[in-house]
Amino acid sequence: MPISDYHISTDQQRFDLDAIHAFLSQSYWSAGISRDTVAKATQNSLAFGVFLGDSQIGFARVITDKASFAYLADVYILDAHRGQGLAKYLIATIQAHPDLQMIRRFMLATKDAHSLYTQFGFTELANASRFMEIHSPSVYQA
């Protein structure tokens, strides 16, 4: 399928929250997440849906103040649509969004997609010792 058959939208009314939840609840980074949590996280983010016709086949969201900081999260393309450059199309679209043009720090976390993100200027943390976190990986199983 040519990439021109796909489109990206930030219109959250078009999003298929059931499909997004189905993927995210099985992902390594948010296994067990509830549909309500997915809905709330999506509503409170700058979110991007990838569509083939009316079918949602991908998703990403950016948690941001739209001024100085952004965090890219929940990026996926369904397996059947991978290998066509859709992830690159999605990340390029996100980076081109008007609300994300003057961001001082744009972060993400990934287990296995480093080669994708480095193409868009992401690097490993230069001073990882400056960053701290509270990490609760089992919070969705509570």
Side-chain angles (χ1 to χ4, degrees):
M1 186 105 15
I3 201 164
S4 60
D5 290 346
Y6 295 87
H7 64 280
I8 295 174
S9 176
T10 57
D11 180 359
Q12 292 196 20
Q13 292 187 0
R14 296 199 58 216
F15 292 0
D16 183 344
L17 284 175
D18 290 330
I20 297 167
H21 173 252
F23 186 92
L24 294 179
S25 66
Q26 300 302 310
S27 69
Y28 74 82
W29 64 88
S30 60
I33 193 170
S34 73
R35 188 185 184 286
D36 287 344
T37 300
V38 170
K40 186 175 184 178
T42 300
Q43 178 182 13
N44 290 307
S45 298
L46 177 56
F48 298 78
V50 184
F51 296 88
L52 177 60
D54 290 330
S55 297
Q56 184 154 7
I57 60 89
F59 178 76
R61 65 189 184 92
V62 179
I63 305 145
T64 183
D65 60 12
K66 299 180 182 178
S68 65
F69 181 82
Y71 184 88
L72 180 61
D74 296 337
V75 179
Y76 76 84
I77 301 293
L78 293 178
D79 287 344
H81 300 272
R82 292 183 183 169
Q84 302 178 70
L86 291 170
K88 291 178 186 177
Y89 174 39
L90 177 57
I91 302 306
T93 300
I94 290 168
Q95 285 190 322
H97 193 280
D99 288 342
L100 302 174
Q101 294 312 297
M102 297 301 292
I103 300 298
R104 182 171 178 255
R105 186 175 309 270
F106 206 140
M107 299 183 72
L108 63 84
T110 185
K111 180 172 93 173
D112 55 8
H114 297 77
S115 63
L116 167 66
Y117 297 115
T118 57
Q119 295 174 57
F120 293 91
F122 287 93
T123 62
E124 292 185 11
L125 293 174
N127 294 301
S129 64
R130 292 184 181 183
F131 291 84
M132 298 178 71
E133 69 179 349
I134 295 173
H135 187 225
S136 303
S138 61
V139 69
Y140 300 137
Q141 285 75 41

